[in-house]
C-alpha cells in the first residue's frame, strides 16, 4: 500500500465537507506531476488530507476508493481523477510549520514541491506524521 497527501483549500473543499460527502472524485488536477501521482494511486492507498492556503495543516486521513479514470471536468480529455473516501480526522492537526521544523521531513514532497496538489508520502514520513498527529 502506498501513501499520499492530497491538498485542498478549505474555502473550495474542506475536510468537514468531505466528511459530510463521505466520498468524492478528486477532480480539477491539471499539473502534470500531480496527474502522474494520481495515476499511481491504487484502491486502498491512504492519503493525508491537507488544508492549503488557509490553515496549512494535515486535518484528516482518506482512502483511495477508485483508481485513476478520465476527469469529467476536463474539456480536453487529458486529465484524470481518482475517487477518495473520508476515513478519520487526525487527533492533532499537523501544521506545515511543524513539518518544516522536523529535519526528518526535509525531503517530504509537501516541503520540496509545496505547490503540488498530490504528493507521495514514503513509509517513514507516513509513520512520523501519524505520530505527530497522535493518530494510529
Amino acid at each position: 500500500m502506498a501513501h499520499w497527501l492530497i491538498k485542498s483549500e478549505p474555502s473550495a473543499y474542506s475536510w468537514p465537507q468531505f466528511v459530510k460527502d463521505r466520498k468524492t472524485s478528486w477532480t480539477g488536477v491539471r499539473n502534470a506531476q500531480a496527474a502522474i501521482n494520481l495515476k499511481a494511486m491504487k484502491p486502498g492507498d491512504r492519503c493525508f488530507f491537507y488544508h492549503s492556503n488557509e490553515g496549512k495543516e494535515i486535518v484528516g486521513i482518506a482512502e483511495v476508493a477508485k483508481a485513476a479514470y478520465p476527469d469529467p471536468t476536463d474539456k480536453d480529455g487529458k486529465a484524470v481523477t481518482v475517487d477518495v473516501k473520508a476515513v478519520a480526522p487526525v487527533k492533532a492537526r499537523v501544521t506545515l510549520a511543524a513539518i518544516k521544523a522536523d529535519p526528518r521531513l526535509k525531503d517530504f514532497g509537501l516541503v520540496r514541491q509545496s505547490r503540488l496538489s498530490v504528493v507521495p508520502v514514503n513509509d517513514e514520513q507516513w509513520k512520523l506524521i501519524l505520530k505527530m498527529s497522535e493518530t494510529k
Side-chain angles (χ1 to χ4, degrees), residues 10-11 13 42 50 69 117:
S11 61
Y13 195 73
K42 303 286 183 241
Y50 178 83
Y69 61 95
S117 62

Side-chain angles (χ1 to χ4, degrees), residues 118-135:
V118 181
V119 296
V121 181
N122 70 34
D123 288 342
E124 285 180 33
Q125 294 163 345
W126 182 263
K127 289 174 188 169
L128 177 58
I129 293 168
L130 276 180
K131 187 174 182 179
M132 293 168 74
S133 74
E134 302 170 9
T135 305

Side-chain angles (χ1 to χ4, degrees), residues 87-122:
V87 173
V90 293
K91 289 187 179 180
R93 292 177 174 204
V94 182
T95 66
L96 179 59
I99 290 167
K100 285 182 172 181
D102 194 316
R104 296 171 293 180
L105 294 170
K106 69 180 179 356
D107 294 326
F108 183 32
L110 182 63
V111 174
R112 286 186 27 257
Q113 295 177 291
S114 62
R115 302 206 59 207
L116 201 57
S117 62
V118 181
V119 296
V121 181
N122 70 34

